[in-house]
Amino acid sequence: MRIPLIALASGALSVLVVTGSAAQATFSPPPLAAAPSAADPAATTPAPMAAPAAAKRVFPTVLTKNRLYRSGAVDSFTCSPGEPRAGSANSLKAYLLKVARCVNGMYARQFRAAGLGAYRVPKIIIRASGTKTPCGKLSNTYTAHYCPSSQTIYQFLPKATIRNPWGLTLAKTMAHEIGHHAQQRAGIVPAFNRLYAQARTKTARNYLSHRVEQQAECMAGVFLGSVQESLPVVFEEWDQVVDWAAKHASDTVHGKGRNQAFWLERGYDSQSFLSCNTWTAPNARVA
């Protein structure tokens, strides 16, 4: 059985959104990450979660009733990036950029449908050496992050990844990072930053981090569900990713692994951003 790539990179394939420079004030959000999930292509769209009273009082409508949620289900479409070739950093880069074009195309359609205006694609920088970026430092564990200030995604390819690439986890990583960009363009990340700056306790900040990260994971699931036939998403490998996340992905910034897996799977099964509204979910579902 193939070992998930996420288990090879110091225990996790972490995906980050960095909302400021390393030297920024202490209220700046920490690096935020993601996790995995599974599916039944015949599943119906999960019902929206009822907003707890506290969420209705605390979170602004740009989070709880964002237009992106009303963009409709994402129809299945073709995305065939091929397979990344083991041992070739250039092959992995080409694969990731092909996936990025598919993800950006999906958001361009959904932004139009939601009345959010033209979707602007992010810059993407992928490299096999040099981990320093304007937003901090990448590592074998934290291999990618999104910088909202420059609307740029930075992806580092560790040697272990180049030797043994796994298309599914690479595609999920890119989809998660572009999900953060879509959050930025839709006003979600700016609203999150303001709430994070106002939060008075570490627990409150952690729950905010969980919501923005688990939402991006759900958004990655929407993409993967929409291209499951053409990418393709092999169910056996998908199950490995979901199972690993549920058991091993827990941390204070991203939340419990079982919740990360839940949101990725929820997006995959529904193929709708309406199912990704983590801001109205109870704390237990984003813990």
Side-chain angles (χ1 to χ4, degrees):
M1 180 178 290
R2 191 172 190 178
I3 300 173
L5 181 62
I6 49 177
L8 300 178
S10 301
L13 177 61
S14 298
V15 186
L16 313 175
V17 54
V18 179
T19 54
S21 69
Q24 203 169 357
T26 56
F27 62 73
S28 296
L32 309 176
S37 196
D40 171 6
T44 57
T45 301
M49 291 186 175
K56 290 180 180 177
R57 288 197 304 269
V58 174
F59 298 137
T61 56
V62 70
L63 298 177
T64 61
K65 297 180 180 180
N66 196 278
R67 289 184 180 182
L68 185 59
Y69 308 153
R70 304 196 299 271
S71 64
V74 179
D75 294 332
S76 297
F77 64 98
T78 300
C79 180
S80 303
E83 285 288 333
R85 189 170 69 254
S88 171
N90 286 336
S91 175
L92 270 67
K93 179 178 180 179
Y95 176 87
L96 285 165
L97 291 177
K98 288 176 183 177
V99 169
R101 282 196 289 273
C102 295
V103 182
N104 284 324
M106 175 187 71
Y107 281 116
R109 292 190 294 273
Q110 297 307 116
F111 269 54
R112 284 196 298 270
L116 283 167
Y119 170 80
R120 184 184 304 169
V121 302
K123 298 177 184 177
I124 300 174
I125 297 176
I126 303 168
R127 56 198 184 202
S129 63
T131 58
K132 189 175 181 180
T133 81
C135 288
K137 190 174 182 180
L138 300 174
S139 68
N140 288 348
T141 299
Y142 296 98
T143 60
H145 61 212
Y146 171 68
C147 296
S149 58
S150 61
Q151 299 189 34
T152 301
I153 292 166
Y154 293 89
Q155 172 78 52
F156 170 59
L157 300 175
K159 290 180 180 179
T161 302
I162 295 171
R163 286 196 302 267
N164 182 33
W166 192 6
L168 179 57
T169 56
L170 288 168
K172 188 184 80 70
T173 298
M174 183 56 70
H176 178 96
E177 292 305 326
I178 296 179
H180 282 313
H181 178 69
Q183 288 174 316
Q184 170 73 14
R185 300 297 303 171
I188 293 171
V189 166
F192 158 75
N193 285 343
R194 290 190 292 271
L195 289 173
Y196 194 96
Q198 296 164 6
R200 296 186 177 184
T201 68
K202 183 176 180 181
T203 297
R205 289 192 293 272
N206 283 343
Y207 272 106
L208 289 168
S209 296
H210 298 174
R211 290 182 191 277
V212 76
E213 279 298 341
Q214 291 175 28
Q215 181 172 55
E217 196 69 355
C218 181
M219 293 163 77
V222 170
F223 167 73
L224 292 171
S226 301
V227 298
Q228 58 185 280
E229 296 296 331
S230 57
L231 191 67
V233 177
V234 178
F235 288 156
E236 291 80 2
E237 293 186 348
W238 179 254
D239 286 344
Q240 287 185 59
V241 171
V242 176
D243 184 64
W244 186 92
K247 294 178 179 177
H248 305 292
S250 300
D251 65 38
T252 56
V253 173
H254 317 123
K256 294 179 180 178
R258 66 172 181 266
N259 282 336
Q260 296 180 56
F262 168 86
W263 287 103
L264 181 66
E265 189 166 32
R266 184 174 169 88
Y268 184 98
D269 288 347
S270 69
Q271 295 177 210
S272 170
F273 294 116
L274 180 62
S275 68
C276 296
N277 189 353
T278 57
W279 303 96
T280 59
N283 280 347
R285 182 43 73 193
V286 295

